[in-house]
Amino acid sequence: MKLINTFTDGKEITGFYLLKEIQLKQVQGSGKDYFDIVLGDKSGDISAKFWEVSPADKEAFFQFDVVKVEGTVQTYRDKLQFRIGRMRKARPDDKVNVTDFIRSAPVQPNNLVQTIKSAAASIQDEQIRNIVEYCVAKVEEKLLHSPAAKSMHHNYFAGLAYHMCRMLELGDFICKQRTFLKPDLIKAGIILHDIAKPEEMISELGIVSDYTNQGKLLGHISLANNWILEAAYRHGLDPEDEKVVVLQHLVLSHHNTGEWGSPVQPQLPEAVALHYIDQLDAKMQAVEDALDSTPEGEAWTANIRVIENKSVYRINW
């Protein structure tokens, strides 16, 4: 089966893919129904169209179905698009599984979560450790599959846990290089900064379909800030204690500006470090993802949102 990142203009394709998104729409002026689709596999995804949808088709195809498609890759507005000629749902005798078609972190989710829990347990300050472990426990099961975002970075199965673990690696390095930083706060900030993402987003198979009411009304930064206070109360710690306030500041400031969702800017050394550790991992992962999803033989990636919508040139030597 051809991986999506190997598709080229004019290529005839037959194979099994995941319906990551499917919407019933109408052709303007004609009233004819068609499916606006995003097909996916482990290598990436591609926009697709299935024209002249029948009444039976409307009842047959749904998001997260694995389907066998036949069609042609075309270029539309400088992007590859797949025109589906025929499509059917996968059958038991096809011996395909939906998990074969989803992108996931390159490390087993159980190992990622264990790494996060071990990092939390290694925090020397007991009060900070208690708060971090309390927050991790609230979402431990969801960390096994939750993505880190809908589209910006690490937007796949167990992407959030992978993001946190890669940040912990960066945090360990920067603490050794910049010895004025407090490792306990760097670890705590990394683990807590996105800890409420699983409660912010509605996801299945690592694909975000929408945001929860809490996500829309409060957002993950406010939710995590509240969890820190909740943990402090549970462990008998004064919510005005400096350690509590410092942890809140790390979470509240990690996006750096109000435009990005932070009500305050980083004003602790560890908060400055956390912001840039987060940015470095998010942006480099987005670049890596773009390179991985770019068809072989193409030198330039698609535009990457997190680096000011620029494309990246792939050097082949």
Side-chain angles (χ1 to χ4, degrees), residues 162-211:
Y162 184 57
H163 175 45
M164 292 163 70
C165 288
R166 298 306 295 267
M167 286 180 65
L168 286 167
E169 294 171 1
L170 292 170
D172 182 60
F173 170 79
I174 198 68
C175 284
K176 291 175 181 176
Q177 186 189 69
R178 306 289 178 176
T179 55
F180 63 87
L181 294 170
K182 298 185 184 301
D184 276 359
L185 292 183
I186 293 296
K187 291 176 188 176
I190 288 170
I191 295 171
L192 294 176
H193 83 291
D194 278 349
I195 196 68
K197 282 283 187 80
E199 299 301 321
E200 180 183 50
M201 302 178 295
I202 300 170
S203 66
E204 186 174 347
L205 302 176
I207 301 167
V208 177
S209 58
D210 201 354
Y211 290 87

Side-chain angles (χ1 to χ4, degrees), residues 67-121:
V67 294
K68 185 176 184 180
V69 297
E70 296 178 15
T72 307
V73 181
Q74 302 174 333
T75 298
Y76 178 70
R77 294 182 178 176
D78 298 324
K79 290 185 178 181
L80 292 180
Q81 186 180 88
F82 190 62
R83 182 186 179 97
I84 300 172
R86 299 175 64 188
M87 179 168 68
R88 69 164 174 82
K89 292 180 71 169
R91 297 188 290 252
D93 59 352
D94 291 320
K95 297 181 179 179
V96 294
N97 191 297
V98 66
T99 57
D100 298 331
F101 298 89
I102 62 170
R103 185 155 182 240
S104 61
V107 180
Q108 286 295 316
N110 284 329
N111 294 339
L112 293 171
V113 173
Q114 186 55 51
T115 296
I116 294 165
K117 292 174 68 176
S118 295

Side-chain angles (χ1 to χ4, degrees), residues 249-310:
H249 178 75
L250 289 170
V251 168
L252 292 170
S253 67
H254 82 269
H255 279 182
N256 188 47
T257 66
E259 180 184 359
W260 293 350
S262 277
V264 292
Q265 289 185 287
Q267 289 183 274
L268 294 169
E270 292 79 12
V272 174
L274 175 62
H275 169 66
Y276 286 105
I277 291 169
D278 185 27
Q279 287 288 296
L280 177 60
D281 186 56
K283 291 186 177 185
M284 291 310 300
Q285 190 63 53
V287 170
E288 183 178 345
D289 292 345
L291 290 169
D292 288 344
S293 62
T294 299
E296 295 177 8
E298 290 191 17
W300 289 93
T301 69
N303 291 343
I304 305 169
R305 288 177 63 190
V306 299
I307 58 167
E308 289 69 52
N309 220 33
K310 301 293 185 184

Side-chain angles (χ1 to χ4, degrees), residues 236-247:
L237 190 59
D238 187 339
E240 295 184 7
D241 186 283
E242 185 174 74
K243 293 175 184 177
V244 178
V245 174
V246 163
L247 293 179

